Amino acid sequence: MNDHSPAGGRRLWADIDLDALRANVRTLRERAVGGAQLMAVVKADGYGHGLLPSAAAAREAGAAWLGTATPQEALALRAAGDTGPLLCWLWTPGDPWRQAVEAGIDVSVSGRWALAEAADAARSAGRVARVQLKADTGLGRNGCQPADWPDLVAAARAAEVAGTVRVTGVWSHFACADEPGHPSIALQQAAFADALGAAARAGLDPEVRHLANSPATLTLPDAHYDLIRPGVAVYGLSPSAEVGTPQDFGLRPVMTLRARLASVKRVPGGHGVGYGHSYTTSGATTLALVPAGYADGVPRHASNTGPVLVAGKWRTVAGRVAMDQFVVDLGGDAAAAGDEAVLFGPGDAGEPTAEDWARAAGTIGYEIVTRVGHRVPRVYRGERAS
Ligand SMILES: *Cc1c(COP(=O)(O)O)cnc(C)c1O
């Protein structure tokens, strides 16, 4: 899937270390208790790492399941030849329900309208729809409220009896698992147990029950059930500083974002830098131009705060991040156009991490990697011939 030549002429690119991704999947599988299998979440273009290469590497490392948000992502996996268990959870009316049922994709259902869509799709596809019922155990986002759950499980059981639907899973999602000890965690676990009990009393016998995102995979073994469902940890990032660092869990960041300096020049003291002149040189210095901007996913909120490794040292973005470029002040150090700048990576070669950028921009590491833009080629390392 490496559709970008690794040869010269590269302005800005993301190295994707698929060996690290495979090692992360194996490490997470080792943490799974009671024989729970692993669903690698590959939504949003594999958190910016590339859908198909990330999915293939996760399967190679033993991910029994893949998970996506949108049906388009799930169908793209099938179009690329992935035939394994696959759950897709973010559905709206008018989505390609029938194609998903034909492709053997498990569809998540949080209410009666969606159950009806799945049953209709099954009838027109001439195939039983694989449905996973999602309970809202407290997140307040998608999922069926406890008050509506008995009706949903009864209707799903009736659809099973009618032969249109098979309920393959019951599942839910945490709100605050990245804040260990948060009181909502135990409440959600209890609510999930209640939802499972009601499903069983309705006569449902799902293949998989699952609740654990990355933070719950790392910190809540009693939430693992039949399947752990990590996303960000697969890509080697920690869900939060409270949970720990990637190293604490033997995880390795998969993406390294690199650029080549587009210009290096001497400027006098007192020189304004960038739009709005939010930075002024304090004395004669060298300014290096990094050809990466907010169109490439570099957060504008990291103006005057984002870290970047240039000429062997951490530098800080000088002035505003623009659409396509930002400047760093080398403080008189030498560098040349074409030299490499590393915005973030695993951190063990002295470079900042996605977490460092997240702190600088007031966001989370998830957003830093996921927003790396379309015009940034992904260069895959450790790809296997298929
Ligand atoms: C994104 C997502 C996950 C993965 O979450 P991480 O915190 O990245 O592990 C799991 N389940 C659902 C429903 C999600 O939307």
Side-chain angles (χ1 to χ4, degrees):
M1 284 312 303
N2 183 351
D3 52 5
H4 299 280
S5 159
R10 239 189 270 132
R11 172 184 74 94
L12 168 67
W13 72 101
D15 281 325
I16 307 296
D17 179 356
L18 295 174
D19 288 326
L21 191 153
R22 290 186 198 96
N24 294 336
V25 168
R26 287 192 290 266
T27 297
L28 294 165
R29 285 179 62 208
E30 280 163 20
R31 296 193 81 86
V33 298
Q37 291 189 309
L38 181 142
M39 174 187 291
V41 178
V42 295
K43 63 189 179 185
D45 201 26
Y47 288 48
H49 296 68
L51 172 68
L52 300 180
S54 300
R59 290 283 198 207
E60 286 155 9
W65 285 77
L66 296 176
T68 73
T70 72
Q72 288 72 25
E73 293 163 341
L75 289 167
L77 289 167
R78 288 297 193 242
D82 186 281
T83 55
L86 170 58
L87 172 64
C88 172
W89 54 73
L90 192 55
W91 290 89
T92 43
D95 270 337
W97 292 85
R98 183 176 52 74
Q99 290 93 314
V101 170
E102 281 169 350
I105 295 165
D106 285 41
V107 300
S108 180
V109 159
S110 298
R112 288 292 291 267
W113 75 266
L115 183 64
E117 287 265 19
D120 284 350
R123 278 186 289 270
S124 62
R127 185 172 170 166
V128 176
R130 293 175 56 88
V131 164
Q132 298 207 17
L133 300 178
K134 185 169 194 188
D136 182 358
T137 53
L139 175 60
R141 202 174 67 177
N142 212 342
C144 179
Q145 275 287 300
D148 301 323
W149 184 253
D151 174 67
L152 182 64
V153 293
R157 178 63 193 146
E160 279 194 337
V161 170
T164 51
V165 156
R166 158 97 185 105
V167 175
T168 53
V170 172
W171 72 299
S172 189
H173 194 38
F174 279 115
C176 307
D178 58 341
E179 298 175 49
H182 192 284
S184 69
I185 294 171
L187 293 173
Q188 284 199 256
Q189 289 185 267
F192 189 57
D194 288 347
L196 290 173
R201 285 193 299 279
L204 299 176
D205 182 22
E207 295 162 19
V208 286
R209 303 159 300 157
H210 51 110
L211 182 58
N213 55 1
S214 293
T217 294
L218 298 173
T219 66
L220 285 175
D222 60 349
H224 287 186
Y225 288 95
D226 304 310
L227 197 57
I228 54 174
R229 203 173 68 235
V232 83
V234 166
Y235 307 96
L237 303 185
S238 169
S240 68
E242 295 96 304
V243 167
T245 66
Q247 293 82 342
D248 291 340
F249 299 102
L251 300 170
R252 184 173 172 77
V254 171
M255 183 188 292
T256 301
L257 186 62
R258 300 178 199 272
R260 291 200 188 284
L261 300 181
S263 131
V264 179
K265 65 187 177 190
R266 298 282 307 170
V267 298
H271 203 299
V273 177
Y275 292 132
H277 278 179
S278 66
Y279 183 85
T280 304
T281 57
S282 55
T285 188
T286 26
L287 297 180
L289 181 63
V290 179
Y294 59 77
D296 304 300
V298 178
R300 189 168 177 278
H301 274 100
S303 296
N304 285 310
T305 59
V308 55
L309 181 69
V310 182
K313 286 191 203 153
W314 275 41
R315 319 284 177 169
T316 304
V317 173
R320 288 207 186 130
V321 174
M323 187 181 292
D324 317 296
Q325 43 195 309
F326 67 83
V327 171
V328 293
D329 185 340
L330 301 186
D333 290 351
D339 285 359
E340 195 170 293
V342 186
L343 283 81
F344 60 82
D348 50 7
E351 77 279 15
T353 62
E355 185 55 36
D356 293 317
W357 273 88
R359 245 191 313 279
T363 182
I364 53 178
Y366 294 71
E367 189 176 0
I368 298 297
V369 292
T370 302
R371 289 183 69 166
V372 170
H374 287 299
R375 71 181 180 184
V376 180
R378 274 62 168 178
V379 178
Y380 293 98
R381 316 276 170 197
E383 216 169 14
R384 290 190 189 154
S386 51

